[in-house]
Amino acid sequence: MARLALLSVSNKTGIINLARSLVEEFDFDLISSGGTAQALKDAGLPVTKVADYTGSPEILGGRVKTLHPRIHGGVLARRDVPQDITDLENNQIRPIDLVVVNLYPFEETIAKPGVTLLEAVEQIDIGGPAMLRASSKNFGHLAVLCDPAQYDEYLEELRQNNGEASLEFRQKAALKGFSHTASYDQAIASYLADTQQYTLSGTQLQSLRYGENPHQPATWYQTGTTPTGWAAATKLQGKELSYNNLVDLEAARRIIAEFTDTPAATIIKHTNPCGTALGSTISEAYQKAFNADSTSAFGGIVALNRPIDAATASELTKTFLECVVAPSCDADAQEILAKKSNVRVLTLADLSSGPKDTVKAIAGGFLVQASDDVIADTSKWQVVTERQPTADELAELLFAWKVCKHVKSNAIVVTSDRTTLGVGAGQMNRVGSVKIALEQAGEKGKGATLASDGFFPFDDSVKTAAAAGITAIVQPGGSLRDKDSIKAANELGLLMVLTGVRHFLH
């Protein structure tokens, strides 16, 4: 008797080619439901509808199709248990050798603007997960495929093993099936849960060489069923990505996402920007960012918000870099970058989209907070000094504020000409961060702008900044001693703007 395959997929990518090979090369009979059955029929393939096979029609508007003993009996039967075989024969059930299932697009549905609860609920698959779990459980006797990327590998298994899939392959496919249903259920639970419950799951993309240090094992996981973010990036060249690479790339992405209208470049070391700049071209922006702190840029992570062109590629090859990411890369640029074969070059079309939440593990649990993705609105800023900003000064203040948001607290950033000149990051007191940023800026700090991620508790930092030549300050305000800082700024002829928003980053 011919072997039997059950095909029931929401994502029909590759399903026709798979089905054709199953029928023509390996003599499978096909059963299918709904739209999949119609697609196979339209392609001229012989297929039996599930309703005809079970003798039970689809009911409840398609909610019940494959939930039937002739389906699940065929999936769960153990070929080496005589009673199971007897049960199949007594109930006229054929054993099923292959199950190909993927699930209703729940995550895609809830991502749509304005989707209602009713619309989301109708995209909660029931029969699909039931078949995936059942067939994954019984991997000792059949194969299950839940991703079109598995189809060619499965067919090759059959070709190399006299028409059979190896136990190793079936077990690996079962793990993917369970991971798929776990991720699917997690997405549903997160959508329906209130603040009393938070669920997190992921599918392993790859084991990393190690974590932050060689003695720390590390693994990269993808959240959701559809690759997004770094899981969707394309690596054009270079070594495998490390744990630290990915952490720094995400820090770079967050900064570069702040700038969309103008070519921008940032260079990251240990999650902090050592240079960030805007330019008339992406090459100019990168050169400005590099020159901001060329010493620290060595071995850095670069993010660009425009495609890499030949001119930019030539500049990138002049120093040692760990990673470069941009929306795309020209052919000429790829040829130039290939001369530095060890540098990891990635393209990620969407550098602006990031996680909605940030999660940190602590002993006995974890902390969840909304991502700091508030968009700066200068119309809500308060000018608190006698001196008012020009349009250019306001633009410089905004640039400095956007960069400062992504520097570890206590954070101070000095900028001029939309370029960072000095960055004071992660110091235990704000005065220390001010001194570091001003010392790094040096003479270039005269006439420059200073941004602080938190308020000044005293007026000492304002006085220190003025003595170094700073002419404008942007900070959130909110200190009981704000009036002292404002008074000092007025006495020293500085411009000061309060944003009303704090940007601590730990």
Side-chain angles (χ1 to χ4, degrees):
M1 180 182 292
R3 286 173 291 177
L4 186 60
L6 169 61
L7 281 56
S8 180
V9 293
S10 175
N11 176 5
K12 295 178 177 55
T13 302
I15 195 64
I16 300 301
N17 289 337
L18 172 66
R20 194 177 304 282
S21 293
L22 292 175
V23 171
E24 296 178 357
E25 286 189 63
F26 302 105
D27 196 31
F28 271 82
D29 288 340
L30 307 179
I31 56 175
S32 190
S33 62
T36 308
Q38 189 61 51
L40 297 176
K41 182 179 178 181
D42 291 345
L45 292 168
V47 59
T48 300
K49 291 185 178 180
V50 165
D52 295 333
Y53 175 74
T54 63
S56 297
E58 294 184 8
I59 61 173
L60 306 182
R63 281 191 168 196
V64 178
K65 291 179 287 209
T66 57
L67 298 170
H68 192 280
R70 291 201 77 190
I71 297 297
H72 285 272
V75 168
L76 286 166
R78 293 159 293 186
R79 316 294 171 84
D80 55 355
V81 176
Q83 186 58 53
D84 283 9
I85 301 302
T86 299
D87 286 342
L88 293 184
E89 292 171 351
N90 290 342
N91 291 278
Q92 296 182 318
I93 298 173
R94 290 178 63 182
I96 294 175
D97 298 275
L98 172 66
V99 174
V100 184
V101 177
N102 53 58
L103 309 179
Y104 292 168
F106 180 80
E107 288 182 284
E108 291 85 344
T109 298
I110 61 175
K112 296 176 182 177
V115 66
T116 66
L117 177 62
L118 180 61
E119 290 170 333
V121 167
E122 284 306 310
Q123 290 301 318
I124 297 176
D125 204 326
I126 302 300
M131 286 190 293
L132 272 180
R133 287 180 60 80
S135 50
S136 295
K137 174 179 179 176
N138 205 27
F139 70 85
H141 302 278
L142 77 161
V144 56
L145 308 177
C146 62
D147 184 342
Q150 297 173 291
Y151 298 170
D152 287 343
E153 185 180 1
Y154 173 73
L155 292 173
E156 194 59 31
E157 275 281 313
L158 299 186
R159 293 176 184 127
Q160 293 183 4
N161 296 288
N162 296 318
E164 299 290 338
S166 66
L167 179 61
E168 180 184 10
F169 174 86
R170 299 198 306 270
Q171 183 171 343
K172 183 175 70 171
L175 173 60
K176 189 173 182 68
F178 281 124
S179 297
H180 189 38
T181 57
S183 177
Y184 193 77
D185 286 343
Q186 185 268 329
I188 296 168
S190 295
Y191 178 74
L192 297 176
D194 57 23
T195 56
Q196 301 302 310
Q197 183 181 21
Y198 189 93
T199 56
L200 181 66
S201 70
T203 302
Q204 180 177 328
L205 282 182
Q206 65 183 78
S207 294
L208 301 172
R209 186 179 178 190
Y210 51 77
E212 286 182 293
N213 298 290
H215 60 275
Q216 295 174 267
T219 307
W220 180 9
Y221 291 89
Q222 171 191 313
T223 56
T225 56
T226 303
T228 59
W230 298 109
T234 300
K235 185 162 72 72
L236 300 181
Q237 68 171 57
K239 297 178 291 185
E240 288 297 317
L241 292 168
S242 71
Y243 179 95
N244 289 336
N245 290 157
L246 288 161
V247 171
D248 283 337
L249 280 166
E250 177 60 11
R253 186 202 62 75
R254 289 173 179 168
I255 291 183
I256 214 68
E258 296 281 353
F259 307 103
T260 57
D261 297 334
T262 305
T266 189
I267 306 173
I268 296 291
K269 288 293 288 290
H270 304 294
T271 73
N272 284 305
C274 55
T276 303
L278 307 183
S280 57
T281 65
I282 196 63
S283 178
E284 180 189 21
Y286 169 72
Q287 290 178 68
K288 289 170 66 177
F290 177 81
N291 292 331
D293 185 357
S294 58
T295 300
S296 298
F298 184 85
I301 307 289
V302 176
L304 310 169
N305 71 346
R306 296 290 189 273
I308 306 173
D309 54 21
T312 308
S314 295
E315 292 298 324
L316 290 167
T317 59
K318 291 180 179 180
T319 192
F320 167 65
L321 298 170
E322 285 281 353
C323 304
V324 178
V325 62
S328 61
C329 183
D330 297 348
D332 290 343
Q334 287 190 49
E335 185 175 347
I336 294 169
L337 290 167
K339 298 173 184 177
K340 292 275 190 175
S341 59
N342 284 334
V343 64
R344 303 161 178 89
V345 179
L346 295 90
T347 58
L348 180 58
D350 182 9
L351 284 164
S352 62
S353 297
K356 295 180 180 179
D357 299 323
T358 58
V359 181
K360 290 192 176 183
I362 60 172
F366 56 89
L367 306 175
V368 181
Q369 66 172 349
S371 294
D372 186 7
D373 54 7
V374 62
I375 298 174
D377 184 355
T378 57
S379 68
K380 296 180 180 179
W381 289 4
Q382 182 183 6
V383 181
V384 292
T385 50
E386 296 168 0
R387 191 160 79 78
Q388 300 294 304
T390 64
D392 186 67
E393 285 177 321
L394 188 60
E396 190 69 43
L397 288 162
L398 179 60
F399 171 79
W401 183 243
K402 286 182 174 182
V403 176
C404 191
K405 171 182 175 181
H406 300 281
V407 176
K408 293 287 187 179
S409 298
N410 288 309
I412 298 293
V413 173
V414 176
T415 76
S416 180
D417 188 29
R418 315 304 187 267
T419 305
T420 55
L421 303 177
V423 177
Q427 298 306 299
M428 286 62 73
N429 64 78
R430 196 159 298 278
V431 174
S433 289
V434 169
K435 290 180 178 179
I436 290 172
L438 291 174
E439 180 180 351
Q440 187 180 19
E443 287 299 311
K444 294 180 181 178
K446 296 186 183 303
T449 292
L450 182 147
S452 172
D453 67 341
F455 61 65
F456 295 114
F458 305 100
D459 63 5
D460 50 358
S461 291
V462 176
K463 293 177 179 178
T464 301
I470 296 297
T471 59
I473 293 176
V474 56
Q475 53 125 330
S479 169
L480 293 174
R481 300 177 185 271
D482 273 350
K483 61 181 184 298
D484 295 340
S485 294
I486 295 169
K487 180 173 180 290
N490 277 323
E491 290 175 349
L492 296 166
L494 271 64
L495 163 67
M496 181 178 287
V497 173
L498 305 184
T499 67
V501 177
R502 190 183 74 183
H503 285 307
F504 280 178
L505 179 61
H506 292 95

